[in-house]
Amino acid sequence: MELAELARRIDAISARYARIYGFERDGDWLMLKVQEEVGELAQAWLAKTGRQRDKGHSPEEIEERFALELADAIGMLLAFAQVTGVDVERAMEAKWLVWDRRTNQRDDALDADERALEGRALRGERAIEDDERGEPG
């Protein structure tokens, strides 16, 4: 499944939850939910790494809780992106995947063309290297 499709589906589930429980699901609510879920993820991480009591849970249950809390945090971030109009795939390309095309990850060592890659990716433009190789962007 594509990330954009996953974000759309999670956003729809989140919207349905808000309708059922009768509250406004706006950017503020979603940001607070992101914070809540990251806090729960931190608790699960502490349990997983043995720095919190296990509360009677087996190692397998602790591992599963960690995975589910990670999914909650990611899900709320994806819903937040949908509501705020962020194209997650394009933003990830601009922020993270642009480094696949860079030979040096130090910002101070990048030339002007390399620095421009992040902005081009965010705008959905092809990278210079793709243009030079004649590959589609």
Side-chain angles (χ1 to χ4, degrees):
M1 178 184 319
E2 299 282 327
L3 188 56
E5 174 64 11
L6 181 61
R8 187 195 63 73
R9 290 177 64 187
I10 289 171
D11 185 54
I13 292 165
S14 175
R16 188 169 62 230
Y17 176 85
R19 278 192 308 277
I20 289 169
Y21 291 99
F23 62 87
E24 182 181 352
R25 189 185 69 103
D26 59 7
D28 290 342
W29 181 83
L30 282 161
M31 177 49 79
L32 291 171
K33 286 299 288 182
V34 166
Q35 292 291 23
E36 175 189 30
E37 296 304 343
V38 169
E40 291 174 6
L41 175 60
Q43 288 179 331
W45 177 251
L46 289 172
K48 177 179 166 57
T49 58
R51 294 179 280 177
Q52 177 177 302
R53 59 189 171 91
D54 63 22
K55 300 179 184 177
H57 295 109
S58 70
E60 294 80 16
E61 290 170 327
I62 291 170
E63 187 69 34
E64 181 177 358
R65 178 171 174 252
F66 172 72
L68 293 175
E69 293 301 344
L70 183 59
D72 270 349
I74 292 168
M76 284 293 104
L77 281 168
L78 289 173
F80 185 55
Q82 285 291 111
V83 166
T84 57
V86 172
D87 179 333
V88 177
E89 288 178 345
R90 187 172 282 176
M92 294 301 282
E93 172 71 26
K95 187 64 180 178
W96 285 98
L97 301 182
V98 69
W99 292 103
D100 283 346
R101 294 187 297 270
R102 292 179 175 173
T103 57
N104 188 334
Q105 287 196 349
R106 289 179 45 129
D107 282 336
D108 59 351
L110 299 177
D111 63 28
D113 287 336
E114 288 175 315
R115 280 192 193 92
L117 285 175
E118 193 169 289
R120 282 191 192 100
L122 192 53
R123 292 187 303 274
E125 299 171 11
R126 291 190 312 214
I128 293 168
E129 293 87 345
D130 291 342
D131 289 342
E132 290 173 354
R133 287 190 302 253
E135 295 177 9

